[in-house]
Amino acid sequence: AEDHACQTTCRRVLMTKSTDQEIVDGLIEGCKKMPLPQDPLWQCFLESSGSSNPDNSTNGLPAPAVDGAKLHCCSKANTSSCRDLCIKLYSTRWGSRTHWQEFDRLCEYNPLEAAMFTCLADVREPCQLGCQGLKYCTNFNNRPTELFRSCNIQSDQGAKNDMKLWEKGTIKMPFLNIPVKNIKTCQPEMWKAVACSLQIKPCHSKSGGSICK
């Protein structure tokens, strides 16, 4: 670390804190800046964190490797709470199921955080050119010049399965159940288009693939 105060904080935190979460919190507070993958201090810490306890897991979940690309997306957050959650989840191994649920609940469906989640989507599922071979979402076939995140047989079947579930009268979201009319008779083609769009994920330059605009 080039900053003297940050160096002092780093030494103190490493001597007094024991968990990755406490260390990250202490460094952010003491250094007065968010971690960036290109920062030598954070590179050192993240590499150390990623190489220690490779078999460690929390609440039965496999411990994820530190992901610098996703960590960079955290800087695009508009709210401090979502930025801090993002940084902690992608820079340490402490992320439990509860923390991931909090991140999803507070941030993923927050329109203010569209830029951050578009960035994360670009890392997880980069846009790829063209789409063909779909048996259910056939409307997306033969589009060689358009971009999609998930044009494959699995997503095609996923859209078909979603429609079967929705036909029971409820669309189940992570934190909300949405009652719907009989979609077999109430605009079935529109609902099929929604299911296919959610699964095949066409890329949009501004919306990030969101259904609601």
Side-chain angles (χ1 to χ4, degrees):
E2 297 179 359
D3 182 79
H4 179 71
C6 192
Q7 289 180 350
T8 303
T9 297
C10 183
R11 295 190 188 98
R12 175 180 56 79
V13 166
L14 291 176
M15 288 189 295
T16 59
K17 306 298 182 182
S18 58
T19 68
D20 283 350
Q21 178 185 353
E22 292 173 336
I23 293 172
V24 169
D25 287 342
L27 289 174
I28 292 174
E29 180 180 359
C31 296
K32 308 298 182 185
K33 61 181 179 179
M34 295 295 109
L36 294 174
Q38 64 268 27
D39 188 318
L41 168 67
W42 287 101
Q43 284 180 350
C44 178
F45 170 70
L46 295 178
E47 288 173 2
S48 174
S49 174
S51 61
S52 62
N53 299 324
D55 296 325
N56 181 42
S57 62
T58 305
N59 289 353
L61 296 177
V66 172
D67 194 323
K70 292 178 182 176
L71 185 61
H72 172 72
C73 294
C74 301
S75 64
K76 298 181 180 293
N78 277 311
T79 60
S80 59
S81 57
C82 288
R83 182 178 62 248
D84 292 347
L85 274 171
C86 181
I87 289 169
K88 291 173 183 176
L89 287 172
Y90 290 118
S91 65
T92 70
R93 293 174 173 268
W94 67 271
S96 67
R97 182 177 284 105
T98 300
H99 292 123
W100 282 107
Q101 289 175 344
E102 183 180 7
F103 185 57
D104 290 342
R105 179 176 60 83
L106 295 177
C107 309
E108 184 165 7
Y109 298 99
N110 185 344
L112 292 176
E113 303 300 352
M116 178 175 67
F117 278 93
T118 297
C119 179
L120 290 171
D122 288 338
V123 174
R124 289 192 297 261
E125 296 179 306
C127 295
Q128 297 183 353
L129 192 63
C131 190
Q132 61 182 0
L134 303 180
K135 295 183 178 180
Y136 184 73
C137 300
T138 54
N139 190 48
F140 286 134
N141 284 334
N142 303 316
R143 299 195 184 189
T145 62
E146 297 183 28
L147 296 170
F148 300 86
R149 296 192 189 279
S150 187
C151 178
N152 54 58
I153 296 174
Q154 292 78 12
S155 295
D156 190 44
Q157 183 63 43
K160 185 176 182 179
N161 294 341
D162 284 345
M163 282 292 288
K164 290 181 179 179
L165 291 174
W166 296 353
E167 287 173 358
K168 297 179 180 180
T170 303
I171 297 177
K172 294 185 178 181
M173 301 293 288
F175 307 102
L176 179 68
N177 289 336
I178 304 174
V180 293
K181 294 181 178 180
N182 186 350
I183 65 173
K184 289 183 178 179
T185 57
C186 180
Q187 297 183 295
E189 290 303 314
M190 181 199 73
W191 288 109
K192 179 179 179 180
V194 170
C196 288
S197 185
L198 288 173
Q199 287 285 348
I200 307 301
K201 303 175 184 177
C203 298
H204 301 285
S205 59
K206 293 183 179 180
S207 69
S210 174
I211 292 296
C212 300
K213 301 180 182 179

